[in-house]
Amino acid sequence: MSLFKKLFGKKEEIKPETALTDRPEEGIVSAKIVESIEDGKDEKKQAILEEVSEPLSKVLDKEEGITSEKLEESIQVREDEKEEVIGAPKQGFIKKLFSGLTKTRDTLLKGVDEVLGAFKQIDEDLYEELEEALIMADFGVDTTLHIMEELRSYVKAHKISEPSALKEALQTIITEMIMAQPEDLMVQEGPTVVLVIGVNGAGKTTSIGKLAHLLKQNDKKVLLAAADTFRAAAINQLQVWADRAGVDLIKHEEGSDAAAVVFDAIAAAKSRKVDVLICDTAGRLQNKVNLMKELEKISRIIEKEYPEAKKEILIVLDATTGQNALQQVKLFKEVANINGIILTKLDGTAKGGAIVGIYSTFQVPVKYIGVGEKIDDLQPFDSEAFAKALFKNN
Ligand SMILES: Nc1nc2c(ncn2[C@@H]2O[C@H](COP(=O)(O)OP(=O)(O)OP(=O)(O)O)[C@@H](O)[C@H]2O)c(=O)[nH]1
């Protein structure tokens, strides 16, 4: 039996990860507003906040297929509108991507080359060893099986008999998979509210700062909202990034109602004629119930107060966690309608192969990638550049 079968013969299981930080008790009183909205609408605001705070049972009833048992599972760690491309990746960035993917590329190419060099003909043993090489490069079981299936068909269709020809075939198949995701990825015309979720340490705050900078460089007026109110440090960290990016931040005190922050941020976004409001939301509440409840409440505020805005939910994933990051997409998809992924820390990871299967597995596109800790180290995902970086050194 091949190593692949020994290791992955059974279905993958979702492993509980780092426990999530506790959330203050529900019902905490909305704290003093540090930066208040331009016009005083406190009564209206209170009424709306109360209205959107539906009982949890009602919220849950709306979600099909999510049993309370499933919900109680601890969440891991955690037309005409014109499409507009926000800044194609810069040359320096593409270089960083190439160098960032060196470890992934080395693992992948070394593995594939070793297998292909060891066989004189294409047979089952060769396919099995290729499977292992892909698994080692963190492509994941399902994606690997899909690639192997495609490879077999490709070999038949193109009547390939030389093992060496399989490398190009693999490159073609993998490139097609990466490029399968839709191109219309960027922020659209008209006001947009972006909710950013992600587990502790994935790079959420950093990515929000970088995204604000990127959008601002592309002539968008950006406002940030500190709607992840759990830790004062998180709010302060977001303030640092807001200052770096030169954008305003709407924030309340630690422990305050996240929906109230979003309410104020919407009012500010409207009066300041902001193009993109980016909300740092809690992605790490204790469990799915709390997280879903919070996101639902924020979504209802947006629908009520800002119906004209387009809403995006982006999940921040740490590329260095490889297949584990994919599991997070699976879990978060159960609580939120995720539109896209921000993949961070692609600099220096050996697990970049995990990105190949994200779209085919979840139909959620990677929208932005992070390749460093600096403010301009986030760019829109260029699938073609990524595919090239995975196979070539320049
Ligand atoms: N190398 C590298 N580091 C990154 C990248 N994005 C974020 N980081 C680093 O990852 C660490 C965590 O980033 P944060 O933005 O604080 O993560 P967070 O998800 O907001 O986490 P909490 O603050 O704990 O909620 C920081 O040290 C960042 O500098 C990236 O693309 N590349």
Side-chain angles (χ1 to χ4, degrees):
M1 189 190 268
S2 72
L3 171 69
F4 173 83
K5 281 188 184 139
K6 273 183 236 156
L7 288 173
F8 303 105
K10 62 184 171 107
K11 259 254 164 288
E12 279 177 301
E13 282 167 20
I14 299 166
K15 289 178 239 118
E17 291 170 23
T18 320
L20 298 161
T21 327
D22 281 345
R23 168 93 183 140
E25 292 304 304
E26 290 300 330
I28 33 173
V29 185
S30 180
K32 181 176 135 264
I33 296 173
V34 175
E35 184 180 331
S36 64
I37 49 174
E38 276 81 351
D39 41 357
K41 290 190 218 154
D42 278 358
E43 274 176 27
K44 182 186 167 221
K45 173 178 151 188
Q46 201 49 45
I48 290 168
L49 286 171
E50 272 165 24
E51 196 184 322
V52 299
S53 299
E54 283 181 41
L56 182 56
S57 56
K58 270 201 184 172
V59 176
L60 296 186
D61 285 349
K62 288 186 193 153
E63 297 291 327
E64 278 179 22
I66 298 182
T67 62
S68 52
E69 239 172 66
K70 258 168 103 187
L71 285 164
E72 285 306 336
E73 270 172 27
S74 145
I75 200 161
Q76 313 307 311
V77 222
R78 284 187 313 177
E79 191 67 318
D80 296 338
E81 284 169 322
K82 197 171 116 229
E83 293 292 331
E84 195 187 340
V85 173
I86 299 293
K90 295 190 189 126
Q91 205 46 43
F93 186 87
I94 291 176
K95 273 199 188 133
K96 266 194 174 179
L97 176 64
F98 274 106
S99 76
L101 285 177
T102 303
K103 284 188 203 159
T104 303
R105 186 171 49 241
D106 286 354
T107 313
L108 172 66
L109 296 186
K110 194 165 162 261
V112 169
D113 285 342
E114 269 175 21
V115 174
L116 299 183
F119 285 85
K120 298 230 169 332
Q121 61 184 40
I122 299 172
D123 58 22
E124 275 312 306
D125 288 345
L126 183 153
Y127 282 129
E128 282 194 356
E129 292 208 12
L130 266 186
E131 278 179 358
E132 286 169 24
L134 295 184
I135 291 289
M136 291 307 167
D138 222 43
F139 277 64
V141 179
D142 292 344
T143 302
T144 298
L145 291 176
H146 176 75
I147 292 171
M148 296 316 295
E149 219 177 281
E150 293 285 314
L151 187 63
R152 286 167 198 265
S153 310
Y154 192 99
V155 165
K156 259 193 195 160
H158 293 81
K159 300 188 174 40
I160 293 173
S161 56
E162 283 296 311
S164 60
L166 292 182
K167 191 169 174 181
E168 204 183 316
L170 265 180
Q171 181 170 351
T172 305
I173 292 163
I174 291 170
T175 301
E176 272 174 15
M177 280 181 80
I178 296 169
M179 292 181 67
Q181 68 165 52
E183 286 289 320
D184 56 333
L185 304 175
M186 308 313 163
V187 172
Q188 298 176 351
E189 286 285 307
T192 303
V193 180
V194 181
L195 302 181
V196 184
I197 57 177
V199 300
N200 237 333
K204 196 158 56 87
T205 314
T206 311
S207 298
I208 290 171
K210 290 173 179 173
L211 184 57
H213 171 73
L214 179 68
L215 293 167
K216 206 182 152 203
Q217 279 194 320
N218 286 272
D219 302 322
K220 295 287 177 193
K221 188 160 186 192
V222 181
L223 179 68
L224 303 186
D228 180 356
T229 55
F230 179 66
R231 280 186 308 132
I235 302 171
N236 294 339
Q237 201 198 351
L238 192 60
Q239 181 69 66
V240 170
W241 275 100
D243 294 344
R244 267 182 208 158
V247 300
D248 291 339
L249 170 71
I250 302 297
K251 60 186 183 183
H252 292 189
E253 280 180 351
E254 174 190 3
S256 58
D257 183 354
V261 179
V262 174
F263 184 96
D264 289 352
I266 288 172
K270 282 179 179 171
S271 74
R272 297 177 196 184
K273 300 201 176 4
V274 158
D275 298 304
V276 188
L277 168 63
I278 308 175
C279 308
D280 182 12
T281 70
R284 50 171 171 263
L285 296 184
Q286 229 165 356
N287 56 41
K288 287 185 190 171
V289 177
N290 282 347
L291 178 61
M292 189 165 73
K293 193 179 164 194
E294 183 127 319
L295 290 174
E296 280 277 338
K297 195 172 166 188
I298 291 173
S299 294
R300 281 197 293 273
I301 285 281
I302 298 169
E303 271 146 36
K304 216 168 172 51
E305 292 299 300
Y306 214 6
E308 66 274 31
K310 182 180 172 283
K311 199 178 87 194
E312 291 238 359
I313 301 183
L314 300 181
I315 182 169
V316 178
L317 301 177
D318 177 345
T320 64
T321 63
Q323 287 300 308
N324 198 13
L326 265 70
Q327 293 302 329
Q328 283 167 28
V329 180
K330 190 172 175 176
L331 287 160
F332 275 93
K333 266 194 94 177
E334 290 179 29
V335 294
N337 216 351
I338 302 169
N339 307 85
I341 294 164
I342 298 179
L343 197 64
T344 65
K345 310 184 196 180
L346 264 173
D347 45 317
T349 175
K351 299 184 174 180
I355 200 174
V356 173
I358 292 184
Y359 187 73
S360 63
T361 310
F362 300 108
Q363 283 75 53
V364 181
V366 176
K367 294 205 175 192
Y368 298 95
I369 54 172
V371 294
E373 296 183 87
K374 299 209 184 79
I375 197 157
D376 52 6
D377 283 339
L378 183 97
Q379 290 284 317
F381 179 59
D382 177 339
S383 53
E384 198 175 349
F386 184 88
K388 274 190 194 154
L390 207 51
F391 287 96
K392 293 196 184 105
N393 273 307
N394 54 43

